[in-house]
């Protein structure tokens, strides 16, 4: 299991735990925790509704792919540590990370 922290749009933080051996991505886990993420495109990096900001742990996650960056750069708010949750696989790289939800308010 991987443990990380999620900060919602109001600044509330919650510890989350996710299995790292089932092939889930971060978007799927955030939806399972009932965070307000539309995920309109189903995880294809086309809509940006799963936009997050990595507050801690950015270096461990690696670089965003070109399609992910293309989508992020078109969002109203874009930060140097922005990522799309659908493009982050659950794994050891997330251990101890702190992530802030940045997707549109639902």
């Amino acid at each position: 299991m991987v443990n990380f922290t999620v900060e919602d749009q109001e600044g509330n933080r919650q510890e989350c735990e996710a299995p790292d051996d089932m092939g889930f991505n971060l978007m799927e886990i955030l939806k399972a925790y009932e965070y307000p993420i539309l995920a309109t495109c189903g995880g294809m990096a086309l809509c940006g509704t799963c936009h997050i900001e990595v507050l801690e742990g950015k270096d461990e996650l690696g670089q965003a792919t070109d399609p992910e960056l293309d989508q992020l750069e078109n969002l109203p708010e874009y930060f140097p540590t922005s990522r799309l949750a659908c493009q982050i696989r659950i794994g050891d790289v997330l251990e101890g990370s702190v992530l802030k939800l940045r997707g549109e308010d639902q």
Side-chain angles (χ1 to χ4, degrees):
M1 297 296 273
V2 175
N3 297 288
F4 53 93
T5 303
V6 176
E7 182 177 318
D8 65 18
Q9 286 91 344
E10 289 81 39
N12 302 311
R13 288 189 175 194
Q14 176 181 356
E15 297 294 322
C16 297
E17 184 177 65
D20 61 352
D21 60 353
M22 298 183 69
F24 290 122
N25 64 42
L26 181 57
M27 176 198 71
E28 294 166 321
I29 298 302
L30 294 174
K31 287 183 70 67
Y33 271 89
E34 298 184 356
Y35 283 108
I37 295 178
L38 287 178
T40 308
C41 71
M44 297 173 47
L46 296 174
C47 69
T49 58
C50 66
H51 178 205
I52 62 164
E53 182 182 1
V54 182
L55 301 178
E56 295 177 28
K58 176 187 180 296
D59 295 336
E60 290 79 10
L61 293 178
Q63 297 295 318
T65 62
D66 287 341
E68 182 180 0
L69 286 172
D70 289 344
Q71 183 60 43
L72 287 168
E73 290 170 353
N74 288 313
L75 295 174
E77 285 190 309
Y78 171 66
F79 306 93
T81 57
S82 287
R83 294 294 303 266
L84 296 178
C86 67
Q87 300 301 300
I88 299 173
R89 290 277 165 214
I90 299 298
D92 291 340
V93 296
L94 274 174
E95 184 67 41
S97 293
V98 178
L99 314 167
K100 181 172 180 64
L101 299 180
R102 289 288 185 181
E104 299 174 19
D105 290 336
Q106 314 310 315

